[in-house]
Structures are given as structure tokens and as C-alpha cells.
Amino acid sequence: MKLSSIRHWPTNLYTPEQVRSTEAKAAELNNLSLFQLMQKAGRAIFELVETMFEQSAHIGILLGKGNNAGDGLVVATLALEAGWRVTLISMPNCSEFKGEAAQAQAELFALDKSKLNSLNQLNASETDFAEFDLLIDCVLGTGFSGSLSAEWAEIFQKANQASRLIISADIPSGLNGLTGEADVNAIQAQHTVTFLALKTGLFTHDAADYCGLIHYASLGCQQQIEQLNQAYYQLSDWNQLKTTLPARKRNSHKGSFGHVLCIGGDKGMAGAIRLAGEAALRCGAGKVTVLTHPENVMLVANGRPELMVRGVNGISSEVKTLLEQAEVILIGPGLGKTGWANGLMQLVVESDKPTVVDADGLNWLAEHKYKKKNWILTPHPTEAARLLKQSTNHIQHNRYAAATELQAQFSGAVILKGCGSLIANQQGIKVCRAGNPGMATAGMGDLLAGICAAMLAQGYATDLAAELAVNIHAKAGDLAAKQGERGMIASDLLPYVREVINPSKP
């Protein structure tokens, strides 16, 4: 059973329920029994183990009582047959197995006595996890939601603290396979081997802190799973996306690449709109005009003469003319919540121009509901909570559901920012895997808004512009982070944005 490298992953993501409900049919279509499928899963885990350890290593296998435990019992059988030392560690009240897991247990104990001499069995409550070279987590898999019991949380906490290395089967125990939300004491794996399909919960919210390196084993059923399920969620594929960024035609001029009007920066808030405007320039917009409070004009223009900066006090004929001249409008960074902001937002939402709404523009939308097909909204979880009249915790509890609801209520494309940013449109949701915690700093959202506007200005459709912008932003962040995540600031990304958007350069 070969594990697929990330380069050969499918892009489709499925919910755990989709996989569970079609697993038996997928096996049948592939002329496999469910037990044979379990054997393939165990083999996939052991294949990874063999690449990482010598035969003399001591393997601990932490067992629940469902099919996830059955996968671990198959690993134990393979390891004992190959001459490894194995200890089975049973979670409380999990020593009885049923169905395919019971079949795996029977096969294990049918081994020769000489092989079984290398097998030990322990109760998880009394186990010193430090004695194992490797711990394989086969407890909960994709079936977990809610919170762990105090007894199980204590065991997992000890396992996390003492284990040298942990491999999780399918999904780390204590991580929600649908949403990516983790119990604080969930298993923290260094490697996760996931089976049959890539699950939604592996790629957003808490998942990055618990899954480690993800390995995919289709068990030979990828085609069948895809036939039996509708994929509403997909991984964003940069290798495919960058093909939409061809080299520019030699016969081009600034009008070929669009005029972006950036609106924001109320009194004392010049930085955000400056960052957004500069990002739009760096991402290829032909012209960028910044409309800001009169006191901010010099602050925004200083050091960046390529920005055309206008100071306005109200809705004048000049403002209306600028809106008419622009191909794309970006509004929100540093906009504030005054009458100045209210009038500008009202004017923009009634325009038919492609629009990007960020920051205070989103706060305005939370109180004045509008729907537009040709705009991109860029909320972080707290802004999303205001838009949906929910708590931030509720948004994070199920980011996929929140992004879907935002798109349904406001239309267009919605970027729910965070670890595993989600890009929602009418067709479904794309998930961006790039990015890093160094990007959790002021101004990063302003850059993203500017990049979105630049992509719209260059003629990309709303959905594609949003997906491109998220990936360009995240890829630039990863390049900047090579010098260290701590202390990275938003403007550090600007040189790398230019690098990322020119993949076809000589």
C-alpha cells in the first residue's frame, strides 16, 4: 500500500460522514471486504513506520474500541510478523472489539507463539508512554466531536508529554474530523495517515497544531469514493492556479491592468489604506488611487509616489467621478465608523463596480445587509461573527458552516481568514493550506484586500480573484517567514508578492 505524496493528493475534501456512509459500497465496488480495507489501512501505517525506525524499535499502539483500533491491531500483527516489539495499550473500557476489529484481534492472536512473545498488553491509565520509541494513536479516528472525558483527557495529556513520536490513524484522537476543532488535550501527532479520502477537518482551525505531517492512503478506493460523493470542499491547488498568471503581453500599458480605487483611512488611520494600496500596486494593478481623510494625504503618499492620493471630507462630485473612473473599488481599511465612513460605504454598495470590502467596511455591512455578486468580503472570525450575529467561538466551532452561511447571506466570494483560510463561493469552498503564524499581525488583512482588488482589476472573475489572492498572500508570507516568523510585519511580504505573481518569469 503506497502512501501518496502531497504532489499527488486529490483536491477533493469530504466530510467524515460522507466517507463513513459510502465506505462499504466503495469497498464492494473495488471487490474488497471491509476487513480487507482495514488490512490495507494497517499496512499503510506500518509502511510509514518502516521508513522511520529500525526493527529494534518498541512500538506502543493506543487502542480504542472501534475500527480505528482494528487498524492498530493490523499494525501489531504486521510488526510482530516482522520481528518488532509491540505493546497494546487499551483505553479504559475499550478491551472488547466487534466486527472487523474483532476479526483483526483474532488474526493477531493466531500468530505463532514465538511471535506473540514480543507482544505486551497494558492499561492506558497505568502506562508510562516514555518507554516507547513510537506511539501509534488508534483510539477515536474521525468519530470524535465535543470534548474528551476527564479520564481520557488525562491519558492523552500524558501521551503528548512523554511520547517521543506519535502517528495517528486517520485523524488525531480528540480532533473533530469535520470541523478541525480540537479538544485542548487531543493527541498531538507528528504524523497522520488518513484513509480513503482527505477529510475537511484536517485542513483548518486547530488541525495544523495536531496533525503534523499528513500522509494519504486511498486504499485503492479513491475513484469509488469520488463516484459516490459530491465534493463541496476542495484544497486550493497553487500549481493549477499559477497557470492563470501568464507572462504579460509585450504590447501593454497601465490601462490594460485596471484602475483600483482604495477608500479608507479616516483621521489618524493612514497605515491600513497605505498598505492596501501598495499591495494592489505590487500585485499588478495598472493604477491605484487612494481616497482618504485630508489629514492623511501626505502620510499615505510619502515614500510611495506611485499612489495617487486624494483627501476628501464628504461625498463630493470629485468622489463620484473617481468611482466612475475606477474599474474596482476597495473599501474598509482604516475607514472608521463615523459619518464620513457611512456616506462612502453607502455610495460604494450602490455601485455596480467589482468591490472588495474589508475591516470597517465589514462592520458597516453587519448593520446594513447588502448582497452583491461581484464583490469579495474578507472577514476574520470576529468580523464574521458580527456579520452573522454570532459569537467568534461559534464561527470557529464550524468554519465551513460559517463560510457557507456568509456567502449565502452576502453573495459574491467570501474569504474567512485564519489557519486554513476558506474561500467560499456559490459552488462550494476552497481551502488554502499555505501561510504561517508569523502572519498573525496587524496589517496582513489590508495586504490581502489590496491583492484581491488587484486581481479583480486585471480581469479575473470574482471567485478566481479571491482564490488567487489568498494563495498569493499566503505564499508570500511563507517566503518572508524563511527569515523567522516572530517579528514579521505586513510590509515584509511586499517584495515576495512580486515574486509569487511572476511564476513564468525567465
Side-chain angles (χ1 to χ4, degrees), residues 6-7 9 235-243 245 283 418 420-421 423 431-439 444 447-448 451 466-485 488-490 492-503 505:
I6 189 170
R7 292 187 177 184
W9 278 5
L235 291 176
S236 192
D237 183 357
W238 176 246
N239 286 328
Q240 189 278 324
L241 279 174
K242 67 185 181 181
T243 64
L245 295 167
C283 210
S421 289
I423 308 108
V431 186
C432 178
R433 297 192 70 223
N436 63 83
M439 299 173 73
M444 287 291 177
L447 291 185
L448 176 61
I451 296 169
E467 187 180 1
L468 274 166
V470 171
N471 280 271
I472 291 166
H473 183 249
K475 292 284 184 183
D478 287 342
L479 289 171
K482 289 182 178 180
Q483 298 178 49
E485 292 176 354
M488 190 165 74
I489 60 175
D492 290 339
L493 271 63
L494 289 169
Y496 298 104
V497 164
R498 188 177 179 189
E499 180 178 337
V500 172
I501 62 170
N502 289 287
K505 69 180 186 293

Side-chain angles (χ1 to χ4, degrees), residues 68-207:
N68 204 238
D71 300 337
L73 293 167
V74 171
V75 175
T77 301
L78 294 168
L80 290 170
E81 285 180 328
W84 296 57
R85 279 197 305 151
V86 177
T87 296
L88 300 180
I89 310 158
S90 297
M91 292 294 289
N93 305 313
C94 288
S95 57
E96 297 288 329
F97 300 110
K98 297 179 180 179
E100 288 75 30
Q103 196 172 347
Q105 184 186 43
E107 188 171 275
L108 169 64
F109 287 108
L111 289 174
D112 291 342
K113 243 183 184 180
S114 60
K115 301 290 186 184
L116 289 173
N117 286 338
S118 298
L119 178 66
N120 190 21
Q121 297 187 70
L122 296 173
N123 186 307
S125 301
E126 302 165 357
T127 298
D128 177 8
F129 292 97
E131 69 178 274
F132 308 111
D133 298 297
L134 164 68
L135 180 68
I136 302 178
D137 157 36
C138 299
V139 181
L140 292 171
T142 61
F144 173 79
S145 62
S147 58
L148 295 166
S149 69
E151 184 179 25
W152 282 38
E154 184 179 357
I155 292 168
F156 285 0
Q157 189 177 51
K158 289 179 180 177
N160 287 331
Q161 290 172 349
S163 298
R164 301 176 194 178
L165 188 141
I166 301 176
I167 296 175
S168 284
D170 217 359
I171 196 164
S173 295
L175 180 70
N176 189 309
L178 171 66
T179 67
E181 184 178 37
D183 184 283
V184 67
N185 291 304
I187 291 292
Q188 295 174 354
Q190 284 73 51
H191 296 267
T192 297
V193 183
T194 198
F195 312 121
L196 293 173
L198 298 176
K199 285 82 177 178
T200 51
L202 291 169
F203 299 103
T204 195
H205 197 11
D206 294 321

